[in-house]
Amino acid sequence: MNIMEKAQKRAILMIDSEYVFNDIYFTTEEGMTSTSAQHVSAMANVMVQDIKQHIMGLRLYEKSIRVIGDAEVTVEMANNTLPEIAESVKRICKANALIAWLREAVKEREQAQKYVSDMSLDDWMKKQGIEKPAVPQPPQMPRINFQDYNTILDTGLTVKEYNRFVELNSALAVYGEMIHEKGLLTRQKSELARIMQNPTEVKESGRDTIITTYKVDVNISADIDKLYTELQSEYRKLQAEKNGIEAKFSNLAMDYQTCKMDEWKAAKAQYDRDLQKVNSELVGIQTQMNDWKKQRLEELAALKIIIPDALKPLYKELKVKYL
């Protein structure tokens, strides 16, 4: 059996399985409080100082002092305390032993009280073999990115519809280059109308005059209009198809977002319930620990400090002389 086990076995107060309270200084019966112990310790120190002051006045010779021209002589008598020194040393040792005993007792109690008071809930639960309730993790609010391919498909849009949408965007861009305000055919129609109104241009360039004559096929304007109409019709048809896919995706996206938010709200409600349950359990455990600490501290406060038999005569002398 090691020293820790021996100390635990004889302990009059078990704080916990790991802390060894040195009970050699204490009793549950008659004894003194820490306040009384501190007072007795202070009085013992006064005794030590008194004894030292007495024996330190040792002078083994007589001393006469006279000022020249003055008949008066001052005599300091010898102070032979030699016979008292041996016993005084023993008394000082006893007093110091009592002081050390009482101070260590007070210190032992204070350390034990601090150990109990400072113990954290986690440490106490571990020592008591209580498993800490698992704290639930809060659900993350959904972050939906409708630019993400997988998210788009999760809404219910098919791969075929998505690919068609991409294809339509590309096609509409090509058609747009032809029929939009600044598109190829639109620019050509404007240019052709200008030329038909002014088939001949005269421009002076320094000393020269440049005459430009334009020749236009009489049927070309109709051909452009026909092609423009055909392309515009196809553009509108493609745009309508794209709008249809976009409208479907918009509805799917809204439903998807609502569904995800509903799932999150349900998970958040469950999390709140779980967290409340854990907090309630922790409050209960905290109450148990507080009760345990209160009981241990009361037990520590109730312990009395004992005086060893060898020091009791000195203690009784102190009580008579100083207390």
Side-chain angles (χ1 to χ4, degrees):
M1 185 181 294
N2 60 37
I3 189 171
M4 295 286 282
E5 291 173 336
K6 289 179 180 179
Q8 288 174 344
K9 186 175 181 180
R10 65 174 169 76
I12 60 175
L13 176 63
M14 179 65 72
I15 294 176
D16 66 40
S17 60
E18 296 179 3
Y19 187 87
V20 178
F21 179 65
N22 191 353
D23 68 334
I24 192 173
Y25 303 103
F26 301 97
T27 178
T28 55
E29 300 171 358
E30 186 176 353
M32 67 175 65
T33 64
S34 289
T35 301
S36 297
Q38 290 171 334
H39 184 60
V40 170
S41 177
M43 293 305 99
N45 187 59
V46 171
M47 172 182 278
V48 168
Q49 299 308 314
D50 288 346
I51 295 173
K52 284 184 177 180
Q53 183 178 8
H54 176 68
I55 63 174
M56 290 304 174
L58 172 68
R59 186 167 59 248
L60 302 177
Y61 50 86
E62 182 180 292
K63 182 179 179 182
S64 299
I65 302 174
R66 183 176 66 83
V67 178
I68 296 176
D70 194 341
E72 185 177 349
V73 177
T74 301
V75 179
E76 294 182 1
M77 303 300 293
N79 183 23
N80 186 4
T81 58
L82 281 176
E84 304 173 41
I85 288 179
E87 182 61 27
S88 295
V89 169
K90 291 179 181 179
R91 287 171 59 76
I92 290 173
C93 290
K94 284 284 186 182
N96 285 341
L98 180 60
I99 292 170
W101 176 272
L102 296 175
R103 287 179 177 174
E104 285 300 313
V106 171
K107 179 180 176 183
E108 183 69 27
R109 192 203 309 265
E110 289 177 347
Q111 287 179 337
Q113 289 170 329
K114 186 176 187 303
Y115 177 83
V116 171
S117 298
D118 292 350
M119 190 178 298
S120 68
L121 182 61
D122 286 347
D123 286 344
W124 184 81
M125 290 172 64
K126 182 179 178 181
K127 294 176 188 298
Q128 298 298 318
I130 300 174
E131 186 174 351
K132 186 175 182 179
V135 178
Q137 295 299 313
Q140 295 296 318
M141 182 176 289
R143 297 179 179 178
I144 302 172
N145 177 15
F146 286 122
Q147 302 300 316
D148 178 67
Y149 176 72
N150 291 324
T151 302
I152 292 172
L153 296 183
D154 283 345
T155 64
L157 196 72
T158 66
V159 175
K160 182 178 179 180
E161 289 171 323
Y162 176 78
N163 290 339
R164 179 58 178 164
F165 180 78
V166 173
E167 182 183 354
L168 287 170
N169 273 332
S170 298
L172 286 169
V174 176
Y175 277 86
E177 290 181 2
M178 299 295 170
I179 63 174
H180 281 184
E181 288 183 5
K182 297 181 180 180
L184 175 63
L185 294 182
T186 305
R187 295 198 307 272
Q188 287 301 311
K189 283 179 64 177
S190 299
E191 181 70 7
L192 188 61
R194 183 185 66 78
I195 290 173
M196 291 179 69
Q197 291 179 358
N198 301 286
T200 302
E201 286 183 353
V202 178
K203 182 185 295 185
E204 293 184 0
S205 179
R207 292 179 299 174
D208 299 324
T209 299
I210 299 173
I211 300 173
T212 304
T213 302
Y214 297 94
K215 183 178 181 181
V216 181
D217 187 337
V218 294
N219 297 318
I220 195 66
S221 180
D223 291 342
I224 289 179
D225 288 340
K226 179 182 178 183
L227 178 59
Y228 182 86
T229 301
E230 290 175 356
L231 294 178
Q232 189 179 55
S233 175
E234 184 63 21
Y235 179 87
R236 288 173 178 169
K237 185 168 70 172
L238 295 175
Q239 183 66 56
E241 186 180 355
K242 177 190 172 185
N243 291 344
I245 296 175
E246 282 185 331
K248 179 179 179 180
F249 177 68
S250 179
N251 292 330
L252 290 172
M254 187 176 297
D255 292 343
Y256 179 82
Q257 191 168 26
T258 300
C259 178
K260 290 298 180 183
M261 287 303 295
D262 288 345
E263 290 176 357
W264 175 79
K265 289 176 182 177
K268 179 65 166 56
Q270 183 61 50
Y271 163 77
D272 291 339
R273 289 191 293 270
D274 292 342
L275 184 62
Q276 185 177 14
K277 181 180 178 182
V278 168
N279 287 337
S280 296
E281 291 180 21
L282 288 174
V283 168
I285 296 172
Q286 180 76 46
T287 300
Q288 293 179 46
M289 184 187 74
N290 292 342
D291 292 342
W292 178 88
K293 283 188 174 184
K294 182 174 181 291
Q295 182 178 351
R296 294 289 88 76
L297 291 173
E298 287 175 351
E299 290 171 348
L300 284 168
L303 292 176
K304 302 299 183 182
I305 300 173
I306 60 177
I307 301 293
D309 291 341
L311 299 177
K312 282 182 179 178
L314 177 61
Y315 169 65
K316 291 177 181 179
E317 181 183 341
L318 286 170
K319 287 179 66 176
V320 172
K321 187 174 182 178
Y322 294 98
L323 302 182

